Amino acid sequence: TPKAKETFGYFFDLPDFDGRQMYLIAQEKLLKDGFHLDEAAATKLVKLFGYLYKSRDESFGNGHLVKKQVEHLRDHYLLRVDKGTADNNCITKEDIHAELPEEKTEDQILQDLNNFIGMQNLKTSIKELINHVKLEQRRLQAGLTSKEQKIVLHLVLTGNPGTGKTTVARKLGEIFHAIGLLDRGHVKEADRSTLVGQYVGETPKLVEKICNEALGGILFIDEAYTLTPDVPGNSDSYGKEAVEKLMKRM
């Protein structure tokens, strides 16, 4: 609030720990307790924290989540030792009781896209889009563009119900994550009911919340045209307010 900004001279926004940082915190906690990870366990734990970060929501616990995972590792290690395994303080892959989804490569994801029935023009356009992104990434690495010149991709998907618009949006999230454009690649789905409030002042807050939840991924607005219905005499100020807020965030 303005009053708070007058009272406090500095504001520090602490971002979420990413998967690699969570792994390092866990490793440090384990070392302090006298434990170490073998190579296979370290590889799986990195993947686990990467997945937890990518799929995070409002309940994401950061350091608290790491602490809980470390406690689980120690518990499973002790259970294994209790069954007769050597007590050498080495955490193994067996101690990480977590099922991880298969990590697809860029080629595998593109093959999934190629397997879609029809959509030939879309497939060609997406491949051109991928090449464009990769080119911009190389130019950035070579110092030919500045970091301020971000790659901005706002897309419109049109088609009758059931033609696969949502499916395409999800596949784009996977592709853009695989090529390093998005750090999570998740798809946050929204529509008028989740973007437009019922009273004055609610709509901007709803839009802000959903946009924040989509960071690192894709915000997919289903039936976006309903935000500004083309009806004679329509005076939908709340829908217009949602569009204005969305435009600012874009």
Side-chain angles (χ1 to χ4, degrees):
T1 64
K3 187 65 176 176
K5 290 181 179 179
E6 291 177 8
T7 306
F8 298 96
Y10 300 95
F11 286 81
F12 298 100
D13 182 28
L14 304 183
D16 286 335
F17 292 116
D18 61 26
R20 183 65 185 176
Q21 292 167 333
M22 293 172 74
Y23 166 75
L24 293 174
I25 295 170
Q27 186 182 51
E28 185 178 88
K29 287 181 179 294
L30 287 168
L31 288 173
K32 283 183 178 179
D33 291 340
F35 292 93
H36 63 279
L37 296 152
D38 68 14
E39 187 174 346
T43 299
K44 185 172 181 180
L45 197 58
V46 168
K47 290 181 179 180
L48 173 60
F49 283 128
Y51 170 71
L52 291 173
Y53 174 77
K54 178 184 175 183
S55 58
R56 71 191 187 280
D57 55 22
E58 290 180 338
S59 64
F60 184 67
N62 284 294
H64 299 300
L65 178 58
V66 174
K67 181 180 178 182
K68 186 179 294 185
Q69 288 296 328
V70 168
E71 289 173 353
H72 287 326
L73 291 176
R74 289 196 300 251
D75 290 345
H76 291 307
Y77 167 81
L78 293 173
L79 286 171
R80 187 163 54 84
V81 169
D82 192 51
K83 293 178 181 178
T85 303
D87 188 2
N88 56 7
N89 284 0
C90 180
I91 302 293
T92 70
K93 189 176 180 180
E94 297 174 57
D95 301 319
I96 306 174
H97 290 211
E99 293 297 324
L100 295 172
E102 177 190 1
E103 288 188 8
K104 293 183 178 180
T105 64
E106 179 188 337
D107 289 340
Q108 288 174 320
I109 297 169
L110 286 175
Q111 185 58 51
D112 289 344
L113 180 67
N114 286 333
N115 290 337
F116 285 175
I117 303 298
M119 305 185 186
Q120 195 54 52
N121 290 339
L122 176 72
K123 293 173 186 176
T124 301
S125 296
I126 288 177
K127 289 172 184 176
E128 291 174 353
L129 196 57
I130 291 169
N131 291 333
H132 168 70
V133 170
K134 287 182 174 180
L135 175 61
E136 290 299 323
Q137 288 174 326
R138 288 196 294 270
R139 285 174 57 81
L140 179 61
Q141 292 169 357
L144 299 175
T145 58
S146 67
K147 290 183 178 180
E148 286 70 29
Q149 293 177 282
K150 296 180 180 180
I151 301 171
V152 179
L153 298 175
H154 299 309
L155 309 172
V156 176
L157 298 173
T158 61
N160 289 325
T163 51
K165 298 185 292 297
T166 304
T167 301
V168 169
R170 290 172 181 161
K171 190 57 61 179
L172 285 172
E174 290 182 35
I175 291 171
F176 291 154
H177 173 65
I179 64 177
L181 179 64
L182 300 175
D183 62 0
R184 293 176 62 190
H186 66 298
V187 175
K188 178 66 180 179
E189 296 181 37
D191 56 21
R192 181 183 173 89
S193 67
T194 54
L195 291 169
V196 177
Q198 301 298 313
Y199 56 84
V200 176
E202 184 184 17
T203 296
K205 293 177 182 178
L206 291 175
V207 174
E208 188 77 8
K209 178 176 179 291
I210 287 174
C211 286
N212 288 338
E213 291 173 353
L215 288 175
I218 289 176
L219 173 58
F220 177 73
I221 303 175
D222 193 22
E223 298 183 334
Y225 59 85
T226 60
L227 294 175
T228 54
D230 187 15
V231 179
N234 173 65
S235 57
D236 181 13
S237 60
Y238 288 172
K240 181 181 179 182
E241 193 175 27
V243 172
E244 290 174 349
K245 185 67 176 179
L246 284 168
M247 294 296 288
K248 287 179 181 178
R249 288 301 299 262
M250 290 169 70

